[in-house]
Amino acid sequence: HVQLVESGGGSVQAGGSLRLSCVASRDISTTYCMGWFRQPPGSEREGVATIDSDGSTTYADSVKGRFAISRDNANNTLWLEMSSLKEDDSATYYCAAETSSPLLTALLALGIPSPGAFTNWGQGTQVTVS
């Protein structure tokens, strides 16, 4: 089990940028796939971006070219750089981690897995774009 703590959310005008961070309680460098998910009010949680232990990434079509996921394994930190923000990006953003596995790698090859594929979650950070 790994504990995750997100930060960096806030309110921003459309077209602006934000940088989210997620700090893990243990070494994530070689064994964990990490991801960002978001949940708008009244909607289901959806995948935003993932980064596997080998550095390979996947993005939701809605954020491609605007968001960038990265990880700093030395500091057990996951980042999400968000730019050209739109009102539709408003949501609670969650950091997630799951032990890398052949099954998860296969799912990632098809796109961002459903939230059910991840068992470790942060408490969320709110992003509001107006």
Side-chain angles (χ1 to χ4, degrees):
H1 179 70
V2 57
Q3 293 181 322
L4 305 168
V5 179
E6 305 98 332
S7 62
S11 296
V12 64
Q13 290 188 335
S17 301
L18 279 175
R19 187 188 198 194
L20 305 183
S21 65
C22 169
V23 179
S25 62
R26 57 183 296 177
D27 181 9
I28 59 170
S29 59
T30 60
T31 57
Y32 282 94
C33 173
M34 307 293 293
W36 287 100
F37 291 75
R38 67 187 182 186
Q39 187 165 16
S43 299
E44 294 185 353
R45 195 168 298 188
E46 61 183 20
V48 175
T50 62
I51 183 166
D52 207 351
S53 54
D54 64 357
S56 57
T57 59
T58 60
Y59 291 93
D61 288 342
S62 60
V63 306
K64 283 180 180 176
R66 301 188 298 120
F67 290 12
I69 188 171
S70 60
R71 60 196 291 168
D72 177 359
N73 290 331
N75 293 294
N76 300 330
T77 302
L78 178 72
W79 303 97
L80 184 68
E81 298 272 3
M82 305 186 294
S83 61
S84 301
L85 283 162
K86 307 174 182 179
E87 290 188 15
D88 286 348
D89 295 319
S90 296
T92 301
Y93 283 71
Y94 296 91
C95 173
E98 183 56 39
T99 305
S100 293
S101 67
L103 174 60
L104 187 54
T105 298
L107 291 174
L108 290 168
L110 300 175
I112 299 178
S114 68
F118 290 79
T119 57
N120 300 283
W121 293 88
Q123 82 288 350
T125 185
Q126 181 67 40
V127 172
T128 302
V129 184
S130 60

